[in-house]
Structures are given as C-alpha cells and as structure tokens.
Amino acid sequence: EWQSKPCQAFFGEGVTGQPDVSVLNKRLGGLFPGVSRVVFVNGLNDPWSELSVASDPSVAAINMAYGDNVVITMSKASHVTDFYFSSSRTDFGVDIARKRILAAIKSFL
C-alpha cells in the first residue's frame, strides 16, 4: 500500500494494484538495459544496490562491455551518499567517487 499511494497521488485514483515488474523489465531491459555512457554509482550499505546492474559481477561485466559504461562502488556509502556535501565527517569515499564520476563524464564527451 505504501508504494501505491504515491502513484495514486501523482497519477490519479485510477492507478490500482502492483506494477507488473516482468513487463517493465522486458520493456526496459531489466539488469541488461542496453545503455551506453552511464555511470552506475553504488553504495554497499544501500538497500537498493541489490537492484543495480552492478550487483552481480557477471551482469556488471556484460553492461560494462556495452557502450563505455562505468561502475563506481563506495564500500561504506548508502543511497545518494555521492550527493552529500564534502566534509571531514563524510568518510564514505565520496570525494574519490566524485572524481571518478567527473572523469567518466569527461571521457564520454
């Protein structure tokens, strides 16, 4: 229910039930989205990281071989840690990750 209420708030009361994940995965590629020039940033303390294309080394290898994609993993980080302001209190590898993100983006251009 906690997932459907925001959908109803955004898209109207006509939205009911749960999404058909298999249809979405088929349409969008699931773990193999067929995208290029994407930086996948993951924090190992992030519960969403299990859903990342980089969660499984064999899956990550296939995605990285396709289109110059980059995977960056921060061992102590969680969801959106890479968006935190830099400070001496954020010892999650954020500064290193940001440098790698910037380098990857520059290489795409």
Side-chain angles (χ1 to χ4, degrees):
E1 184 178 309
W2 68 271
Q3 293 173 325
S4 59
K5 285 196 181 278
C7 288
Q8 290 172 346
F10 286 113
F11 303 110
E13 293 295 322
V15 176
T16 60
Q18 297 297 315
D20 188 342
V21 175
S22 63
V23 170
L24 291 173
N25 282 338
K26 184 175 180 179
R27 184 172 142 211
L28 301 175
L31 290 176
F32 305 99
V35 294
S36 62
R37 296 182 174 188
V38 174
V39 181
F40 297 100
V41 182
N42 293 290
L44 294 183
N45 289 337
D46 181 358
W48 295 104
S49 66
E50 291 297 317
L51 301 174
S52 170
V53 299
S55 63
D56 179 312
S58 61
V59 172
I62 292 168
N63 281 293
M64 297 316 99
Y66 182 94
D68 300 327
N69 296 315
V70 175
V71 171
I72 297 171
T73 302
M74 296 180 288
S75 62
K76 299 179 185 177
S78 62
H79 191 63
V80 300
T81 302
D82 51 320
F83 293 138
Y84 289 1
F85 289 105
S86 292
S87 78
S88 59
R89 294 179 293 160
T90 57
D91 182 24
F92 304 115
V94 174
D95 291 333
I96 294 168
R98 285 182 180 151
K99 288 176 184 175
R100 292 183 61 203
I101 293 166
L102 184 58
I105 293 170
K106 285 180 178 180
S107 75
F108 297 159
L109 301 177

